[in-house]
PDB file of all heavy atoms in Angstrom:
ATOM      1  N   GLY A  81       4.176  11.954 -44.431  1.00 75.00           N
ATOM      2  CA  GLY A  81       4.317  10.573 -44.076  1.00 75.00           C
ATOM      3  C   GLY A  81       3.660  10.244 -42.766  1.00 75.00           C
ATOM      4  O   GLY A  81       2.950   9.255 -42.621  1.00 75.00           O
ATOM      5  N   TRP A  82       3.858  11.132 -41.765  1.00 72.00           N
ATOM      6  CA  TRP A  82       3.238  10.936 -40.456  1.00 72.00           C
ATOM      7  C   TRP A  82       1.720  11.031 -40.551  1.00 72.00           C
ATOM      8  O   TRP A  82       0.983  10.250 -39.934  1.00 72.00           O
ATOM      9  CB  TRP A  82       3.777  11.928 -39.448  1.00 72.00           C
ATOM     10  CG  TRP A  82       3.260  11.691 -38.057  1.00 72.00           C
ATOM     11  CD1 TRP A  82       2.085  12.092 -37.528  1.00 72.00           C
ATOM     12  CD2 TRP A  82       3.888  10.931 -37.015  1.00 72.00           C
ATOM     13  NE1 TRP A  82       1.949  11.647 -36.232  1.00 72.00           N
ATOM     14  CE2 TRP A  82       3.062  10.947 -35.889  1.00 72.00           C
ATOM     15  CE3 TRP A  82       5.105  10.253 -36.927  1.00 72.00           C
ATOM     16  CZ2 TRP A  82       3.366  10.294 -34.712  1.00 72.00           C
ATOM     17  CZ3 TRP A  82       5.455   9.615 -35.727  1.00 72.00           C
ATOM     18  CH2 TRP A  82       4.578   9.634 -34.654  1.00 72.00           C
ATOM     19  N   LEU A  83       1.226  11.984 -41.327  1.00 77.00           N
ATOM     20  CA  LEU A  83      -0.229  12.158 -41.494  1.00 77.00           C
ATOM     21  C   LEU A  83      -0.842  10.875 -42.047  1.00 77.00           C
ATOM     22  O   LEU A  83      -1.872  10.402 -41.510  1.00 77.00           O
ATOM     23  CB  LEU A  83      -0.511  13.321 -42.450  1.00 77.00           C
ATOM     24  CG  LEU A  83      -1.979  13.488 -42.870  1.00 77.00           C
ATOM     25  CD1 LEU A  83      -2.849  13.844 -41.684  1.00 77.00           C
ATOM     26  CD2 LEU A  83      -2.074  14.579 -43.947  1.00 77.00           C
ATOM     27  N   ILE A  84      -0.247  10.329 -43.077  1.00 77.00           N
ATOM     28  CA  ILE A  84      -0.785   9.125 -43.724  1.00 77.00           C
ATOM     29  C   ILE A  84      -0.816   7.963 -42.756  1.00 77.00           C
ATOM     30  O   ILE A  84      -1.849   7.257 -42.603  1.00 77.00           O
ATOM     31  CB  ILE A  84       0.043   8.775 -44.972  1.00 77.00           C
ATOM     32  CG1 ILE A  84      -0.155   9.851 -46.036  1.00 77.00           C
ATOM     33  CG2 ILE A  84      -0.379   7.403 -45.549  1.00 77.00           C
ATOM     34  CD1 ILE A  84       0.826   9.747 -47.198  1.00 77.00           C
ATOM     35  N   PHE A  85       0.325   7.738 -42.066  1.00 75.00           N
ATOM     36  CA  PHE A  85       0.417   6.543 -41.216  1.00 75.00           C
ATOM     37  C   PHE A  85      -0.277   6.674 -39.879  1.00 75.00           C
ATOM     38  O   PHE A  85      -0.572   5.694 -39.206  1.00 75.00           O
ATOM     39  CB  PHE A  85       1.861   6.140 -41.035  1.00 75.00           C
ATOM     40  CG  PHE A  85       2.458   5.434 -42.235  1.00 75.00           C
ATOM     41  CD1 PHE A  85       3.241   6.128 -43.109  1.00 75.00           C
ATOM     42  CD2 PHE A  85       2.163   4.102 -42.467  1.00 75.00           C
ATOM     43  CE1 PHE A  85       3.773   5.487 -44.238  1.00 75.00           C
ATOM     44  CE2 PHE A  85       2.691   3.471 -43.575  1.00 75.00           C
ATOM     45  CZ  PHE A  85       3.497   4.169 -44.456  1.00 75.00           C
ATOM     46  N   SER A  86      -0.580   7.889 -39.463  1.00 77.00           N
ATOM     47  CA  SER A  86      -1.270   8.076 -38.182  1.00 77.00           C
ATOM     48  C   SER A  86      -2.623   7.400 -38.166  1.00 77.00           C
ATOM     49  O   SER A  86      -2.963   6.684 -37.209  1.00 77.00           O
ATOM     50  CB  SER A  86      -1.471   9.568 -37.902  1.00 77.00           C
ATOM     51  OG  SER A  86      -0.256  10.187 -37.523  1.00 77.00           O
ATOM     52  N   PHE A  87      -3.368   7.575 -39.215  1.00 77.00           N
ATOM     53  CA  PHE A  87      -4.739   7.088 -39.226  1.00 77.00           C
ATOM     54  C   PHE A  87      -4.876   5.670 -39.754  1.00 77.00           C
ATOM     55  O   PHE A  87      -5.847   4.983 -39.403  1.00 77.00           O
ATOM     56  CB  PHE A  87      -5.630   8.061 -40.015  1.00 77.00           C
ATOM     57  CG  PHE A  87      -5.747   9.412 -39.356  1.00 77.00           C
ATOM     58  CD1 PHE A  87      -5.022  10.479 -39.791  1.00 77.00           C
ATOM     59  CD2 PHE A  87      -6.594   9.567 -38.256  1.00 77.00           C
ATOM     60  CE1 PHE A  87      -5.117  11.720 -39.152  1.00 77.00           C
ATOM     61  CE2 PHE A  87      -6.688  10.800 -37.628  1.00 77.00           C
ATOM     62  CZ  PHE A  87      -5.947  11.883 -38.068  1.00 77.00           C
ATOM     63  N   ILE A  88      -3.911   5.236 -40.580  1.00 77.00           N
ATOM     64  CA  ILE A  88      -4.038   3.854 -41.115  1.00 77.00           C
ATOM     65  C   ILE A  88      -3.170   2.874 -40.295  1.00 77.00           C
ATOM     66  O   ILE A  88      -3.338   1.667 -40.443  1.00 77.00           O
ATOM     67  CB  ILE A  88      -3.582   3.772 -42.586  1.00 77.00           C
ATOM     68  CG1 ILE A  88      -2.094   4.056 -42.738  1.00 77.00           C
ATOM     69  CG2 ILE A  88      -4.441   4.684 -43.443  1.00 77.00           C
ATOM     70  CD1 ILE A  88      -1.593   3.833 -44.165  1.00 77.00           C
ATOM     71  N   PHE A  89      -2.309   3.417 -39.393  1.00 76.00           N
ATOM     72  CA  PHE A  89      -1.461   2.493 -38.656  1.00 76.00           C
ATOM     73  C   PHE A  89      -1.303   2.850 -37.164  1.00 76.00           C
ATOM     74  O   PHE A  89      -1.665   2.074 -36.295  1.00 76.00           O
ATOM     75  CB  PHE A  89      -0.063   2.438 -39.289  1.00 76.00           C
ATOM     76  CG  PHE A  89       0.874   1.507 -38.574  1.00 76.00           C
ATOM     77  CD1 PHE A  89       0.808   0.153 -38.793  1.00 76.00           C
ATOM     78  CD2 PHE A  89       1.800   2.011 -37.688  1.00 76.00           C
ATOM     79  CE1 PHE A  89       1.669  -0.708 -38.116  1.00 76.00           C
ATOM     80  CE2 PHE A  89       2.663   1.171 -37.000  1.00 76.00           C
ATOM     81  CZ  PHE A  89       2.601  -0.219 -37.224  1.00 76.00           C
ATOM     82  N   TYR A  90      -0.755   4.032 -36.852  1.00 76.00           N
ATOM     83  CA  TYR A  90      -0.385   4.361 -35.493  1.00 76.00           C
ATOM     84  C   TYR A  90      -1.564   4.243 -34.506  1.00 76.00           C
ATOM     85  O   TYR A  90      -1.459   3.678 -33.428  1.00 76.00           O
ATOM     86  CB  TYR A  90       0.227   5.753 -35.380  1.00 76.00           C
ATOM     87  CG  TYR A  90       1.536   5.882 -36.109  1.00 76.00           C
ATOM     88  CD1 TYR A  90       1.848   7.009 -36.855  1.00 76.00           C
ATOM     89  CD2 TYR A  90       2.504   4.850 -36.049  1.00 76.00           C
ATOM     90  CE1 TYR A  90       3.058   7.120 -37.534  1.00 76.00           C
ATOM     91  CE2 TYR A  90       3.714   4.976 -36.717  1.00 76.00           C
ATOM     92  CZ  TYR A  90       3.970   6.097 -37.446  1.00 76.00           C
ATOM     93  OH  TYR A  90       5.175   6.214 -38.105  1.00 76.00           O
ATOM     94  N   LEU A  91      -2.695   4.877 -34.857  1.00 80.00           N
ATOM     95  CA  LEU A  91      -3.837   4.872 -33.928  1.00 80.00           C
ATOM     96  C   LEU A  91      -4.398   3.450 -33.741  1.00 80.00           C
ATOM     97  O   LEU A  91      -4.632   3.025 -32.596  1.00 80.00           O
ATOM     98  CB  LEU A  91      -4.909   5.832 -34.444  1.00 80.00           C
ATOM     99  CG  LEU A  91      -4.557   7.321 -34.322  1.00 80.00           C
ATOM    100  CD1 LEU A  91      -5.663   8.189 -34.929  1.00 80.00           C
ATOM    101  CD2 LEU A  91      -4.317   7.721 -32.863  1.00 80.00           C
ATOM    102  N   PRO A  92      -4.612   2.682 -34.819  1.00 82.00           N
ATOM    103  CA  PRO A  92      -5.091   1.294 -34.634  1.00 82.00           C
ATOM    104  C   PRO A  92      -4.136   0.447 -33.811  1.00 82.00           C
ATOM    105  O   PRO A  92      -4.566  -0.348 -32.963  1.00 82.00           O
ATOM    106  CB  PRO A  92      -5.225   0.755 -36.077  1.00 82.00           C
ATOM    107  CG  PRO A  92      -5.440   1.951 -36.908  1.00 82.00           C
ATOM    108  CD  PRO A  92      -4.600   3.047 -36.266  1.00 82.00           C
ATOM    109  N   VAL A  93      -2.833   0.606 -34.035  1.00 77.00           N
ATOM    110  CA  VAL A  93      -1.856  -0.186 -33.284  1.00 77.00           C
ATOM    111  C   VAL A  93      -1.828   0.193 -31.825  1.00 77.00           C
ATOM    112  O   VAL A  93      -1.588  -0.648 -30.957  1.00 77.00           O
ATOM    113  CB  VAL A  93      -0.445  -0.056 -33.942  1.00 77.00           C
ATOM    114  CG1 VAL A  93       0.628  -0.639 -32.992  1.00 77.00           C
ATOM    115  CG2 VAL A  93      -0.397  -0.763 -35.268  1.00 77.00           C
ATOM    116  N   GLN A  94      -2.044   1.487 -31.521  1.00 78.00           N
ATOM    117  CA  GLN A  94      -2.125   1.918 -30.107  1.00 78.00           C
ATOM    118  C   GLN A  94      -3.257   1.207 -29.403  1.00 78.00           C
ATOM    119  O   GLN A  94      -3.111   0.765 -28.260  1.00 78.00           O
ATOM    120  CB  GLN A  94      -2.330   3.431 -30.036  1.00 78.00           C
ATOM    121  CG  GLN A  94      -1.207   4.263 -30.569  1.00 78.00           C
ATOM    122  CD  GLN A  94      -0.037   4.442 -29.601  1.00 78.00           C
ATOM    123  OE1 GLN A  94      -0.070   3.913 -28.497  1.00 78.00           O
ATOM    124  NE2 GLN A  94       0.980   5.161 -29.992  1.00 78.00           N
ATOM    125  N   ILE A  95      -4.374   1.055 -30.081  1.00 79.00           N
ATOM    126  CA  ILE A  95      -5.547   0.370 -29.507  1.00 79.00           C
ATOM    127  C   ILE A  95      -5.243  -1.104 -29.299  1.00 79.00           C
ATOM    128  O   ILE A  95      -5.531  -1.686 -28.244  1.00 79.00           O
ATOM    129  CB  ILE A  95      -6.777   0.574 -30.396  1.00 79.00           C
ATOM    130  CG1 ILE A  95      -7.167   2.073 -30.448  1.00 79.00           C
ATOM    131  CG2 ILE A  95      -7.974  -0.253 -29.889  1.00 79.00           C
ATOM    132  CD1 ILE A  95      -8.236   2.409 -31.427  1.00 79.00           C
ATOM    133  N   TYR A  96      -4.621  -1.724 -30.321  1.00 77.00           N
ATOM    134  CA  TYR A  96      -4.245  -3.127 -30.191  1.00 77.00           C
ATOM    135  C   TYR A  96      -3.250  -3.330 -29.065  1.00 77.00           C
ATOM    136  O   TYR A  96      -3.326  -4.271 -28.281  1.00 77.00           O
ATOM    137  CB  TYR A  96      -3.652  -3.630 -31.521  1.00 77.00           C
ATOM    138  CG  TYR A  96      -2.929  -4.975 -31.352  1.00 77.00           C
ATOM    139  CD1 TYR A  96      -3.659  -6.172 -31.283  1.00 77.00           C
ATOM    140  CD2 TYR A  96      -1.545  -5.030 -31.243  1.00 77.00           C
ATOM    141  CE1 TYR A  96      -3.016  -7.370 -31.113  1.00 77.00           C
ATOM    142  CE2 TYR A  96      -0.886  -6.235 -31.076  1.00 77.00           C
ATOM    143  CZ  TYR A  96      -1.606  -7.414 -31.018  1.00 77.00           C
ATOM    144  OH  TYR A  96      -0.989  -8.599 -30.829  1.00 77.00           O
ATOM    145  N   GLY A  97      -2.270  -2.395 -28.995  1.00 74.00           N
ATOM    146  CA  GLY A  97      -1.217  -2.463 -28.015  1.00 74.00           C
ATOM    147  C   GLY A  97      -1.735  -2.513 -26.582  1.00 74.00           C
ATOM    148  O   GLY A  97      -1.258  -3.292 -25.743  1.00 74.00           O
ATOM    149  N   ILE A  98      -2.716  -1.651 -26.278  1.00 76.00           N
ATOM    150  CA  ILE A  98      -3.222  -1.592 -24.912  1.00 76.00           C
ATOM    151  C   ILE A  98      -3.962  -2.870 -24.529  1.00 76.00           C
ATOM    152  O   ILE A  98      -3.912  -3.339 -23.380  1.00 76.00           O
ATOM    153  CB  ILE A  98      -4.133  -0.358 -24.699  1.00 76.00           C
ATOM    154  CG1 ILE A  98      -4.344  -0.087 -23.214  1.00 76.00           C
ATOM    155  CG2 ILE A  98      -5.458  -0.487 -25.434  1.00 76.00           C
ATOM    156  CD1 ILE A  98      -5.040   1.235 -22.927  1.00 76.00           C
ATOM    157  N   ILE A  99      -4.629  -3.493 -25.507  1.00 76.00           N
ATOM    158  CA  ILE A  99      -5.320  -4.781 -25.242  1.00 76.00           C
ATOM    159  C   ILE A  99      -4.291  -5.882 -25.025  1.00 76.00           C
ATOM    160  O   ILE A  99      -4.395  -6.643 -24.068  1.00 76.00           O
ATOM    161  CB  ILE A  99      -6.212  -5.106 -26.468  1.00 76.00           C
ATOM    162  CG1 ILE A  99      -7.353  -4.076 -26.576  1.00 76.00           C
ATOM    163  CG2 ILE A  99      -6.811  -6.513 -26.264  1.00 76.00           C
ATOM    164  CD1 ILE A  99      -8.179  -4.223 -27.834  1.00 76.00           C
ATOM    165  N   ASN A 100      -3.271  -5.922 -25.870  1.00 71.00           N
ATOM    166  CA  ASN A 100      -2.238  -6.959 -25.761  1.00 71.00           C
ATOM    167  C   ASN A 100      -1.410  -6.810 -24.494  1.00 71.00           C
ATOM    168  O   ASN A 100      -0.978  -7.750 -23.888  1.00 71.00           O
ATOM    169  CB  ASN A 100      -1.316  -6.884 -27.003  1.00 71.00           C
ATOM    170  CG  ASN A 100      -0.373  -8.044 -27.085  1.00 71.00           C
ATOM    171  OD1 ASN A 100      -0.757  -9.197 -26.928  1.00 71.00           O
ATOM    172  ND2 ASN A 100       0.887  -7.774 -27.329  1.00 71.00           N
TER     173      ASN A 100
END
Side-chain angles (χ1 to χ4, degrees):
W82 185 277
L83 171 64
I84 294 169
F85 282 101
S86 286
F87 293 101
I88 67 173
F89 180 80
Y90 295 139
L91 290 176
V93 168
Q94 295 279 1
I95 296 171
Y96 166 78
I98 195 170
I99 296 171
N100 189 47

